[in-house]
Structures are given as C-alpha cells and as structure tokens.
Amino acid sequence: MSTSKSTTATGLVDAATGRPIRRHPDTGAYFVKASGSSHFWGRALDALVFLVGYVVLAVIAVMVRESMMNSGSMLGFNDGFWLTLYVVLWFVGLFVYGMIWGTAGSVGDAAAGMRSVRIKDGTTAGAWLGGWRAICWSFFPFFVVMVIASALSGGSGDTWDPKFAAVDRRSGLAQGQPPVPDPKIVASQQAADAEQQNLPNLYGQRPDARP
C-alpha cells in the first residue's frame, strides 16, 4: 500500500505542537512525526553511542593483540587477521545496535522522545530487520547530509527508508490530547464558502431576486 503524504494526511494537527497528524493506512491509527531537529540530534546521538562502543571494542582488541605479541604468538603479528577482526567488529556492532533499535528503541530514540515505526501500521522493525537497517547506514556515506537536509526542511522520516517514520512520543496526541482541525485548511474552506455565497450577488443578482 502506498505510504505517500496524500495517503497518510488527515487535515488535522497536533494540539500541542501544531504539526500535522498522519494516519497509518492499515490500522487507521493517528500519529505525529518527530520534528526534523529531534530526528537529527537523536540519530547523531545514536552514531556517537555506536562509535564510543566500537572504540572500546577496538581498544580491547589492541590490548589482546599486544598481549599475544608479547607472549610470542604468531597470530599477534598477523596484520590481515586483525584488520579483518576490526571490520567484523564494526558490522557486528552495528547489527547488534540495530537489533536493539528495532525492538526496544535506541539511545537516540529515548533521548529525542521518538520511535522508528512502519508508516503502514505503526509496528517496529524488529530485531532482524532493525539489524540490517543499521548495517545499511554504513553504506550511505551521505546519510548525515540527508538528515541535515531533512532537519532543515522540517521532515522527520527515516530518510533513506520511506517505509518508516520517526514518531513523536512526546506529542500532544501521544499524551492523550485529541487532534484539532488544521487552521490553514479551515481558513481555506471558510474562504471558499464565502466566495461561493457571494456568487449569486454577481452582476447585481440576489438569491431572492424576482424576474
């Protein structure tokens, strides 16, 4: 099913934030996307957390290698093995972090008050898909540029994956406040109604005019 803006739009806005209310096409449930700035800083924090974790693992690997070299183990002098190990640690670490992100939510999600869900039904990615989605980050060197562009444009989708969106868990809707009609749409409708009511008065004609 299409997940385009026209499919999920409702004509309503969040009472607390004023951001558009969307609808999951499969379930009809309402949701509010996280703001572009929240999405950016949440994902930036995720990147920082992962990098810190990777550095810790890499340092441990270096210490183990030095210990093996000091003990005379030939494996400690095998540069190819250790280079491969660092690469494996990178992707395994990403996958594990993605599994957490796809189930319980990432550190960035918690800090930004958002959650990555499928647009069609509001479900999370799950451990397996979450892991692979995280792996995909490493193949998109322009990911940060795209997120910055998303923040500047006010968007908050998961950028390279249009099937997912970052949902604002701190919105008025999430706190139980009912949505309200979009003032812009209401004003536009009122203007259209006023114009339609004035049509019979064109050329001096009135609705109750007699021939």
Side-chain angles (χ1 to χ4, degrees):
M1 182 177 292
S2 172
T3 56
S4 65
K5 180 177 180 180
S6 60
T7 301
T8 60
T10 63
L12 303 172
V13 296
D14 185 59
T17 65
R19 292 197 298 275
I21 297 287
R22 305 294 182 190
R23 178 188 289 112
H24 296 298
D26 286 5
T27 65
Y30 290 152
F31 70 95
V32 181
K33 286 186 176 182
S35 66
S37 59
S38 295
H39 182 254
F40 170 74
W41 290 115
R43 292 293 172 256
L45 179 59
D46 282 333
L48 179 61
V49 169
F50 169 72
L51 287 175
V52 170
Y54 177 75
V55 168
V56 171
L57 292 176
V59 169
I60 293 174
V62 169
M63 295 173 63
V64 171
R65 183 182 186 185
E66 289 182 351
S67 177
M68 295 177 68
M69 293 173 67
N70 292 334
S71 64
S73 173
M74 295 302 297
L75 185 60
F77 297 91
N78 190 331
D79 293 337
F81 169 81
W82 292 100
L83 179 59
T84 301
L85 179 61
Y86 295 141
V87 173
V88 170
L89 286 176
W90 175 270
F91 287 108
V92 171
L94 270 176
F95 194 87
V96 171
Y97 194 76
M99 292 175 69
I100 298 173
W101 172 40
T103 52
S106 67
V107 175
D109 286 345
M114 62 184 187
R115 189 70 181 276
S116 179
V117 300
R118 290 182 178 87
I119 292 178
K120 69 175 184 177
D121 56 15
T123 58
T124 57
W128 179 254
L129 182 56
W132 283 113
R133 292 185 72 210
I135 289 290
C136 287
W137 286 5
S138 61
F139 293 102
F140 285 80
F142 52 87
F143 178 75
V144 174
V145 176
M146 295 175 68
V147 173
I148 292 175
S150 175
L152 293 176
S153 65
S156 58
D158 269 349
T159 315
W160 50 267
D161 195 341
K163 295 180 181 179
F164 287 82
V167 174
D168 187 355
R169 303 181 71 181
R170 297 174 181 169
S171 65
L173 182 69
Q175 303 304 318
Q177 298 181 30
V180 298
D182 188 337
K184 293 181 181 179
I185 295 180
V186 172
S188 178
Q189 185 62 47
Q190 290 176 344
D193 292 343
E195 182 178 357
Q196 186 175 7
Q197 292 176 359
N198 289 330
L199 286 177
N201 293 326
L202 293 176
Y203 309 109
Q205 299 289 332
R206 298 184 59 81
D208 58 350
R210 297 292 186 270

